[in-house]
């Protein structure tokens, strides 16, 4: 699961016993060498899907981590890209990555902002908001506030887009691995402080669609054809596009 450049078991244990913010500060230098980073195949598929509906002027990568999503935005936004995260360590890695790629003609300006996604320091400044792999860090009761924040930073007609992988079947090994991981995290959070919120099975498509609609966003599901379909014909990976009405 981890490359030789990734974190050691001891480093992961220290991270898991920290807060979410402190844990990601510690993990940041090696985060891109872990399975927690969104795969390039998903990033590329989302970029292709967004390119077919763009272009956009200004984009926001919500919970940007080390900046992989910001690179997707840089391909579809004409004017500016902003990455926001509450981990200073992750933002520092993101700054170095983008600095290494500076000087490309025609690319938008990129800025980094340290802030909590539940209290975004922006007005309606963006045509496009994306997020990759961050929603397991929010409890179900926090989703209405989170989506209200997204609504508030979108311009009329702007879109909030993110990929959703179909959940594994109950008979599969993946299902029981995720169930076991969530169970371990719940026990950890019951007996240890500070909490480390990271639940892979808490972000359910039906609930998410309802909460997006409650936030005033018009929701559309788009299959990402690069990943094919399951035996029942349903897409393996979808992109949710939640649009703020004009």
């Amino acid at each position: 699961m981890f490359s030789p450049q990734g974190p050691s078991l001891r480093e992961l244990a220290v991270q898991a016993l920290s807060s979410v913010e402190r844990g990601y500060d510690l993990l940041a230098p090696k985060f891109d060498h872990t399975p927690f980073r969104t795969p390039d195949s998903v990033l590329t598929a989302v970029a292709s899907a967004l390119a077919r509906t763009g272009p956009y002027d200004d984009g926001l990568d919500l919970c940007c981590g080390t900046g992989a999503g910001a690179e997707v935005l840089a391909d579809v936004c004409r004017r500016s890209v902003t990455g926001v995260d509450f981990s200073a360590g992750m933002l520092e890695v993101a700054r170095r990555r983008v600095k290494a790629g500076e000087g490309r003609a025609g690319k938008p300006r990129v800025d980094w902002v340290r802030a909590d996604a539940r209290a975004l320091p922006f007005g309606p400044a963006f045509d496009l908001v994306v997020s990759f792999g961050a929603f397991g860090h929010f409890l179900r009761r926090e989703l209405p506030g989170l989506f209200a924040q997204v609504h508030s930073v979108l311009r009329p007609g702007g879109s909030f887009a993110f990929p959703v992988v179909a959940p594994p079947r109950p008979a599969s090994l993946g299902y029981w691995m995720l169930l076991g991981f969530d169970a371990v995290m719940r026990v950890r959070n019951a007996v240890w402080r500070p909490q480390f919120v990271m639940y892979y099975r808490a972000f359910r498509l039906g609930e998410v669609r309802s909460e997006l609609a409650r936030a005033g966003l018009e929701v559309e599901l788009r299959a990402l054809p690069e990943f094919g379909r399951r035996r029942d014909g349903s897409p393996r990976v979808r992109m949710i596009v939640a649009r703020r009405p004009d």
Side-chain angles (χ1 to χ4, degrees):
M1 294 178 65
F2 295 89
S3 74
Q5 295 79 31
S8 66
L9 184 60
R10 179 183 179 281
E11 288 172 323
L12 286 173
V14 171
Q15 181 212 11
L17 295 176
S18 305
S19 67
V20 179
E21 180 180 353
R22 177 60 178 158
Y24 275 102
D25 285 346
L26 295 171
L27 183 62
K30 299 182 179 181
F31 178 79
D32 288 337
H33 301 287
T34 72
F36 307 127
R37 180 186 182 275
T38 302
D40 287 337
S41 58
V42 175
L43 296 169
T44 300
V46 170
S48 297
L50 291 174
R52 292 191 290 270
T53 61
Y56 303 90
D57 286 328
D58 304 290
L60 175 68
D61 184 8
L62 189 71
C63 306
C64 65
T66 57
E71 293 180 333
V72 170
L73 288 175
D75 289 334
V76 298
C77 293
R78 296 179 290 196
R79 187 162 55 201
S80 74
V81 171
T82 302
V84 63
D85 202 284
F86 74 166
S87 167
M90 298 289 269
L91 288 173
E92 180 57 34
V93 174
R95 288 188 186 96
R96 291 200 301 266
R97 286 182 56 173
V98 170
K99 186 176 181 180
E102 284 180 350
R104 294 176 295 178
K107 290 295 182 180
R109 183 187 78 252
V110 180
D111 300 301
W112 307 101
V113 177
R114 187 183 180 194
D116 192 322
R118 294 163 292 194
L120 293 172
F122 313 109
F126 303 100
D127 307 296
L128 177 63
V129 176
V130 299
S131 193
F132 294 92
F135 297 119
H137 296 303
F138 297 94
L139 299 172
R140 289 184 185 178
R141 65 174 181 268
E142 295 176 311
L143 292 183
L146 176 67
F147 294 156
Q149 286 291 298
V150 172
H151 183 282
S152 73
V153 302
L154 282 172
R155 296 185 181 118
S159 295
F160 177 33
F162 54 90
V164 176
V165 179
R169 301 295 188 188
S172 68
L173 176 62
Y175 175 89
W176 292 102
M177 289 178 65
L178 294 182
L179 184 66
F181 181 90
D182 281 8
V184 169
M185 292 303 296
R186 293 188 185 281
V187 171
R188 177 254 186 247
N189 288 332
V191 302
W192 191 267
R193 293 292 184 275
Q195 288 193 334
F196 193 99
V197 176
M198 185 176 182
Y199 300 124
Y200 281 109
R201 299 178 67 252
F203 197 70
R204 302 179 185 278
L205 182 58
E207 295 175 359
V208 169
R209 293 184 68 178
S210 296
E211 293 297 348
L212 288 167
R214 282 181 58 192
L217 299 167
E218 299 174 345
V219 184
E220 178 185 353
L221 298 181
R222 300 176 185 173
L224 295 180
E226 293 88 342
F227 300 96
R229 294 183 176 270
R230 305 204 291 184
R231 290 184 178 180
D232 63 2
S234 62
R236 295 185 184 277
V237 184
R238 292 181 171 98
M239 184 173 72
I240 291 184
V241 180
R243 181 177 173 273
R244 178 173 176 173
D246 291 331

